[in-house]
Amino acid sequence: MSGNSIRDIFFQECEDLSDALTDGLNDIADGTGDNETVNAVFRAVHSIKGSGGAFGLEDLVGFAHKFETVLDAVRSGTLTINEQLTDVLLRSGDVLIELIDAARMETEINQAAVDAATTALNEFLIEEDEPEEEFTFEPMVLDIPGPAEIDGERTDGFDIDFAPTRNFYEVGNEPQHLFSALKGIGELSLVADASNVPDDLEEGDWESSYLKWRLNLRTEEKEGVIAAVFSFVDDLCEITITRRLSALDQTPVESAAESIVISPSRIVEEDHKKGVGTGNSQEQIAIAKSAPASNNREAKATLRVDLERVDRLINSVGELIINQSVIAQRIQDAGLGKSDDIQVDLEDYKHLAREIQEGVMAIRAQPVKPLFQRMARIVREVASSTGKKVQLVTQGEATEVDKTLVERLSDPLTHMIRNAIDHGIEDEERRLAAGKPTSGTVTLSAQHRSGSVLIEITDDGAGLDRERIKNIAVEKGIVNKEAELTDGEIDQLLFAPGFSTAKEVTNLSGRGVGMDVVKTAISALGGRIGISSIPGNGSTFSINLPLTLAVMDGMVVDVGQQTMVVPVSSIIETIQPKTSEIFQIGDGNPILRVRGEYVPIVDVAIALGQLERAQPLAKKVLLLVRTEKLSQCAFVVDSISDQRQVVIKSLQGSYGKIPGISAATILGDGKIALIIDPDGIADSVPSKGVDSKGQEAVGMMEVTHA
């Protein structure tokens, strides 16, 4: 295996370790963590340090060692977790992950952040009489005595047979650390068993573990204390602990010995069930640590696959879906569609193709949890720079979306989180005056809804000051002073290029590019963004995205003698309108009455360049759709021919951005059909059109039937 391959595996493992680190630190911060949580965080940092040392990542290893030392003090009870220490641990976790990212990307580290975190950690390590031992990169040297050194009289204590597995070393563990810990609780003697070492060293597999040890520990401590030393590696080695009990009238040689062939975590777990210090008998076990929860679960087998291979497989599945459409079209053209056998086989083929597609897309799907964890670091960073107290609440972390979406959502969410804290959350004085807790809350949630993904960013701040937003827009020349804008139209001004409510430019905001970038990025992903806000009670930004960027469910329609596709996720319902339901307001666009509400009608053919409407609206088909600009509007199409799964083919590389068109697909007859962009079509509606709450406007204007 090449060095680069091993390095890639290291960083892949660091992703899992970073997740475990973040989860553990969040549990500690929430107050839900226990001793095992601290152990899990310690193991993650220890493993990162051990593996990082093999690649000479001195900055990473040095900081991890400092971090690990503080965590070890917490494990041993020397340090007590409080709010100050929790904050330092969280920030240190952020810095460690940033160091991993910098090592992976081979970019410069943020030395100021590393120094600040190191200084904060050192404050918890300062001891007057015993300064911390400096960490250096040195090979391990074991002072292993020969068998003669432990022959002779043996007193009460424990015999320990210790055999590490290859996994023990792969995650950066060293036996010497365990031996040093045992020396701290008694008198230790040990013998190394090298009988398994191959005679020909060149033929040995040096990823295997050949050495074993027999240890004799003379101590007054009970069994649980010895078990605690091995508690976080007992699944990485084979351990047999033999307790030696001697009667008062026996010599040490005649001492009885009881062999315990169970894992240290079970020793600790059984004692936990009995209680701590429930008796004075030597048979009772003193508890030291809680049993690792991970040892009671069967780990799921995983397979790491190069993303390029998955993309090739997805492309092949896309061609399979197109091929299924072609076969269906050929059967229909040949007049064989009435054959029951062929129809059944075709339906089976269709279902099988869809199952394969869903299975392949599931390979690319991943939870939004890593993305949400990254946002937690952003919240701490921005809260620190603004001097505000802010906590992040996450919901729906297990919601799975396409990996590409997760990667491309990072920047938009970062901008929105920063704006929520900088502009939404008030300072402590204003929050107290408003009867709110001094600490603000930002809630980040994700869920599947109607074949799409809904991500919401909610803050409990002051909400949008719409009057101020409009005044700023007038000052910047974005809107006319006399313009009458609805609340929704004012909210959308936040996404206008160059718009900013910041009074001065800071490192967080004020340049007027943040929310514009957000809207552009979300639109590029085929999604839309909406805002709802209640003055004094905060704001919610909603992002609606497709589950995948490769395949979608579409409704095939005819528009001006052209076949096009409308995303099913945008369609609320289809309507065959009656003349009595269509109205004309002055010289503006026609509107449709739907269950007592009025929505604007948009002729898709005219929006895409056709000069005039060929037939009356009453003879057309209307699609009631949901868009970003208008909560609802009705699209005019000539007819609906089918609903099917289509493969998305981008047009950006060849033709650039086309207003009203998001992409293209290949139909069963081999023809290309354009995929309609509902938001782009809705942009053709004049700003003074009627939305779903426009009943009052209709009542005040001259209305005629279209």
Side-chain angles (χ1 to χ4, degrees), residues 272-444:
H272 180 65
K273 293 177 181 177
K274 294 178 182 179
V276 181
T278 55
N280 298 322
S281 171
Q282 240 181 345
E283 297 296 328
Q284 292 176 326
I285 304 171
I287 190 167
K289 301 286 180 184
S290 299
S294 59
N295 293 337
N296 298 326
R297 290 195 214 104
E298 184 178 351
K300 292 184 178 180
T302 58
L303 175 66
R304 297 187 184 274
V305 181
D306 185 25
L307 192 59
E308 185 179 349
R309 296 185 180 182
V310 178
D311 288 339
R312 288 201 301 267
L313 182 58
I314 290 175
N315 290 334
S316 298
V317 171
E319 296 301 323
L320 177 65
I321 294 173
I322 293 174
N323 181 257
Q324 178 265 322
S325 299
V326 170
I327 293 175
Q329 186 69 43
R330 295 286 174 83
I331 290 176
Q332 182 178 350
D333 293 343
L336 301 176
K338 297 180 180 180
S339 172
D340 292 338
D341 291 340
I342 292 180
Q343 198 65 33
V344 170
D345 292 340
L346 184 61
E347 284 299 316
D348 289 343
Y349 181 20
K350 181 178 179 180
H351 291 312
L352 180 60
R354 188 176 185 93
E355 286 182 6
I356 294 175
Q357 181 267 325
E358 290 176 351
V360 172
M361 294 312 303
I363 296 176
R364 276 190 64 99
Q366 70 175 53
V368 296
K369 184 177 180 179
L371 177 64
F372 282 13
Q373 289 178 338
R374 205 178 312 166
M375 293 305 107
R377 290 154 54 190
I378 299 298
V379 168
R380 289 192 289 270
E381 173 189 324
V382 179
S384 175
S385 62
T386 57
K388 300 176 181 178
K389 292 183 179 180
V390 184
Q391 62 175 344
L392 177 69
V393 177
T394 58
Q395 300 171 353
E397 290 182 333
T399 303
E400 292 188 339
V401 297
D402 189 274
K403 179 177 176 62
T404 303
L405 289 176
V406 173
E407 295 170 349
R408 294 170 64 179
L409 271 175
S410 178
D411 286 344
L413 283 185
T414 297
H415 281 298
M416 298 175 76
I417 292 289
R418 286 177 173 173
N419 274 279
I421 299 174
D422 194 22
H423 299 300
I425 302 294
E426 314 97 323
D427 55 34
E428 292 187 26
E429 294 182 0
R430 292 179 59 193
R431 293 186 65 85
L432 286 174
K436 298 180 180 180
T438 56
S439 178
T441 301
V442 175
T443 303
L444 184 58

Side-chain angles (χ1 to χ4, degrees), residues 115-380:
D115 292 343
T118 302
T119 301
L121 290 171
N122 282 333
E123 292 179 358
F124 290 94
L125 296 175
I126 296 177
E127 299 180 6
E128 296 180 1
D129 300 327
E130 188 178 347
E132 181 197 5
E133 180 182 356
E134 183 180 356
F135 177 76
T136 55
F137 291 92
E138 293 182 356
M140 181 181 65
V141 179
L142 292 179
D143 183 14
I144 304 175
E149 297 181 46
I150 61 172
D151 288 340
E153 185 174 343
R154 307 175 95 176
T155 60
D156 293 350
F158 299 90
D159 290 333
I160 304 170
D161 292 310
F162 169 61
T165 64
R166 64 186 297 164
N167 292 335
F168 179 90
Y169 298 104
E170 285 179 351
V171 295
N173 290 304
E174 296 177 359
Q176 185 180 14
H177 296 325
L178 301 175
F179 301 157
S180 298
L182 292 174
K183 285 182 179 179
I185 58 177
E187 183 179 343
L188 179 69
S189 300
L190 68 161
V191 175
D193 180 1
S195 59
N196 292 330
V197 177
D199 294 333
D200 188 349
L201 298 181
E202 293 183 358
E203 295 182 358
D205 178 9
W206 295 110
E207 292 185 358
S208 297
S209 176
Y210 294 115
L211 291 177
K212 301 178 182 179
W213 282 268
R214 179 67 182 266
L215 301 92
N216 175 248
L217 180 66
R218 299 169 59 185
T219 179
E220 298 295 328
E221 296 290 350
K222 294 185 179 180
E223 208 161 59
V225 178
I226 287 83
V229 173
F230 298 96
S231 63
F232 71 95
V233 297
D234 65 335
D235 56 340
L236 304 175
C237 55
E238 298 176 1
I239 305 172
T240 302
I241 301 175
T242 304
R243 179 174 48 210
R244 303 187 63 81
L245 302 174
S246 63
L248 294 176
D249 57 349
Q250 290 177 328
T251 64
V253 177
E254 296 171 330
S255 297
E258 179 182 352
S259 179
I260 308 165
V261 192
I262 58 176
S263 69
S265 60
R266 284 187 56 195
I267 295 176
V268 177
E269 182 179 8
E270 290 173 5
D271 186 68
H272 180 65
K273 293 177 181 177
K274 294 178 182 179
V276 181
T278 55
N280 298 322
S281 171
Q282 240 181 345
E283 297 296 328
Q284 292 176 326
I285 304 171
I287 190 167
K289 301 286 180 184
S290 299
S294 59
N295 293 337
N296 298 326
R297 290 195 214 104
E298 184 178 351
K300 292 184 178 180
T302 58
L303 175 66
R304 297 187 184 274
V305 181
D306 185 25
L307 192 59
E308 185 179 349
R309 296 185 180 182
V310 178
D311 288 339
R312 288 201 301 267
L313 182 58
I314 290 175
N315 290 334
S316 298
V317 171
E319 296 301 323
L320 177 65
I321 294 173
I322 293 174
N323 181 257
Q324 178 265 322
S325 299
V326 170
I327 293 175
Q329 186 69 43
R330 295 286 174 83
I331 290 176
Q332 182 178 350
D333 293 343
L336 301 176
K338 297 180 180 180
S339 172
D340 292 338
D341 291 340
I342 292 180
Q343 198 65 33
V344 170
D345 292 340
L346 184 61
E347 284 299 316
D348 289 343
Y349 181 20
K350 181 178 179 180
H351 291 312
L352 180 60
R354 188 176 185 93
E355 286 182 6
I356 294 175
Q357 181 267 325
E358 290 176 351
V360 172
M361 294 312 303
I363 296 176
R364 276 190 64 99
Q366 70 175 53
V368 296
K369 184 177 180 179
L371 177 64
F372 282 13
Q373 289 178 338
R374 205 178 312 166
M375 293 305 107
R377 290 154 54 190
I378 299 298
V379 168
R380 289 192 289 270

Side-chain angles (χ1 to χ4, degrees), residues 12-13 26 59 110 121 137 195 286 311 360 376 400 445 460 489 512 691:
Q12 289 170 358
E13 292 177 346
N26 287 338
D59 293 320
N110 185 350
L121 290 171
F137 291 92
S195 59
D311 288 339
V360 172
E400 292 188 339
S445 65
D460 65 346
E489 290 171 338
D691 61 15

